[in-house]
Amino acid sequence: MVIETATQTVKAGLAQMLKGGVIMDVVTAEHAQIAEEAGACSVMALERVPSDIRSSGGVARMSDPSLIRGIIDAVSIPVMAKVRIGHFVEASILEALGVDYIDESEVLTPADESFHINKHEFAVPFVCGCRDLGEALRRIAEGAAMIRTKGEAGTGNIVEAVRHMRSVQGAISRLQSMGDEELVSYSRDIGAPVELVRQTREMGRLPVVNFAAGGVATPADAALMMRLGADGVFVGSGIFKSEEPARMANAIVRAVTHYEDDEILAEVSTDLPKAMPGLEIDKIPESEILAKRGW
Amino acid sequence: MVNGTREGMELVTELTTHSTGGAERSGSVVVGVLALQGDFAEHAAALGRVGADVLEVRTVEELKRVDGLIIPGGESTTIARLMIAYGLREPIIERARAGLPIWGTCAGAILLAEEIVTLDRPGLNLVPMTVERNAYGRQIDSFEADLSSRELGGGPLHAIFIRAPRIRSVAEGVEVLLRLGAEQEHEPVAVQCDSLMATTFHPELTDDTRLHERFVGMCEAYAAADASRSVPAAAGGSG
């Protein structure tokens, strides 16, 4: 019997199994267990949550393997970890550690200003950030098996996540009404391969799973992103920077499952622990906007 | 819902209109897909391709309306936890014991098993078999393979295994539909026990609808038997 591993189908397939779920940033094995107990469908292992990366500055890199191993051993759900944009050696190390998904992430300091990783060369699947349809399809062309809209990580402010999701969904809906003769020039305009543009038009959605990320701080934020078309939600600083992480995690998981049920959303939003303090995007210096990293 | 562009919603509407346009069916059964977490939309789409009416199930009220239930792929710890937290676990067990057809794929297969190796919360405890979670390894060990499919008729069935569980043993009375390999000693990957079916792979990720057709057939048989039972004694019908 022929057994094939690391195909695009199994890479994109794991993301399909994560749909309707919440992926939580965790910095310790104990956090990971709290996340799993609250119903997270996966955890993202990192050394500092984005709001701490933002406040402490310096170069942010892949986490220490001992931290990642500790988290892999602590939970049975899939474990993701981040590498710097373009840093294919960090990616090889994470693949050797057995992580289930790699996030080539603008939250870390980019290693290459020209090129993202050639993700086709890896057996482990990758998720990448995007701000618009062109960026999403460029990442898929490089081999990403899952996309997340970037938002602005570590701010607790949902405005950028909404902007990026609306940008992707709006472009897909305009694409639906385009004729074949428009596709080549549209693909050139957004800088994406025409075959992927055509596939997106035919499917009426991105060809891979698309989660929302960057600024989700409350159950209402999470449900908002689901209603705007996200397949699921990443929550970074929003859980472990809130006053009671376990309760906040539970509430956000419930809001993602029942994102269309207003009564349940009212219930899970009531008497919540204090959410993380937010940042206004205009107050962040231009050079510290993470979403601008990558192209 | 204001100004949303959620395609899942449109999908359900589309499926309802497709239900008479696909393979012709009586249209009398409603197949539920447990929609707490996982690839429930992919199952709904596959059911649409075989012409079944689909209902996403998130509440006990929705569970009451279905003639069969698919528990999709996803994270078994997450789905198990949410079934308990949202009060669905006991009602699903009750309906299963009353004969409701249930089909679990991957995470769903784990949850149907009586014995689950390394799940930190109770499953549904319905099928007498032992299942081990993530038993082929981590994501880099996920795989695709062609299964020979005498039981189903037709050519080989292409199967996708993602962080898949392994059926370690089955009790007597559990029928093995498909194995990972041609020999009798190869492990089962699709089994059936009366009205309960479990597959450790994901038929909803391929275009092959043989297993979805088989399950819809089970739902139709159940609905027909249920209707004939409830006609003489209207008060006793379980719906």
Side-chain angles (χ1 to χ4, degrees), chain B residues 19-162:
Chain B
S19 61
T20 49
E24 284 300 321
R25 295 207 172 265
S26 60
S28 59
V29 297
V30 176
V31 182
V33 184
L34 191 67
L36 299 178
Q37 191 272 322
D39 72 336
F40 48 85
E42 283 78 352
H43 268 295
L47 287 167
R49 287 198 293 274
V50 302
D53 283 331
V54 185
L55 182 69
E56 291 186 357
V57 173
R58 293 183 178 82
T59 63
V60 175
E61 286 310 306
E62 287 160 343
L63 179 66
K64 286 179 182 160
R65 291 166 52 198
V66 301
D67 303 303
L69 182 69
I70 293 178
I71 305 178
E75 273 311 305
S76 51
T77 53
T78 303
I79 299 174
R81 184 194 172 280
L82 298 184
M83 273 195 315
I84 296 167
Y86 305 161
L88 279 161
R89 180 173 170 268
E90 290 300 328
I92 291 172
I93 292 171
E94 274 169 35
R95 286 219 60 189
R97 296 216 168 116
L100 182 78
I102 302 184
W103 174 20
T105 59
C106 195
I110 294 169
L111 296 172
L112 286 176
E114 277 185 4
E115 292 286 330
I116 306 168
V117 181
T118 68
L119 182 68
D120 57 354
R121 29 183 82 93
L124 297 167
N125 200 15
L126 291 168
V127 176
M129 62 176 178
T130 301
V131 171
E132 184 180 346
R133 294 177 64 223
N134 303 333
Y136 296 97
R138 302 194 67 84
Q139 168 60 18
I140 50 170
D141 306 302
S142 292
F143 62 97
E144 304 182 44
D146 283 329
L147 310 175
S148 77
S149 57
R150 276 186 300 266
E151 286 291 330
L152 299 174
L157 183 119
H158 189 67
I160 296 164
F161 294 82
I162 294 169

Side-chain angles (χ1 to χ4, degrees), chain A residues 1 4 7 10 16-17 19 37 39-41 76-77 98 100 205 226 228 230 250 254 257 259-260, chain B residues 5-7 9 36-39 42 58 74-75 77-78 81 86 121 133 138-139 143-144 146 163:
Chain A
M1 156 165 297
E4 285 182 284
T7 60
V10 302
Q16 287 173 282
M17 299 311 136
K19 285 169 72 175
E37 184 55 38
C41 63
S76 66
I77 54 180
D100 296 295
R205 55 155 299 143
M226 293 300 288
L228 289 172
N250 265 300
R254 197 155 181 207
T257 298
Y259 68 93
E260 290 177 308
Chain B
T5 55
R6 175 80 191 163
E7 77 274 9
M9 285 301 294
L36 299 178
Q37 191 272 322
D39 72 336
E42 283 78 352
R58 293 183 178 82
E75 273 311 305
T77 53
T78 303
R81 184 194 172 280
Y86 305 161
R121 29 183 82 93
R133 294 177 64 223
R138 302 194 67 84
Q139 168 60 18
F143 62 97
E144 304 182 44
D146 283 329
R163 279 172 52 96

Side-chain angles (χ1 to χ4, degrees), chain A residues 145-162:
Chain A
M146 178 179 182
I147 291 293
R148 55 176 173 75
T149 47
K150 286 179 176 172
E152 189 58 26
T155 61
N157 187 338
I158 199 68
V159 66
E160 294 300 300
V162 169

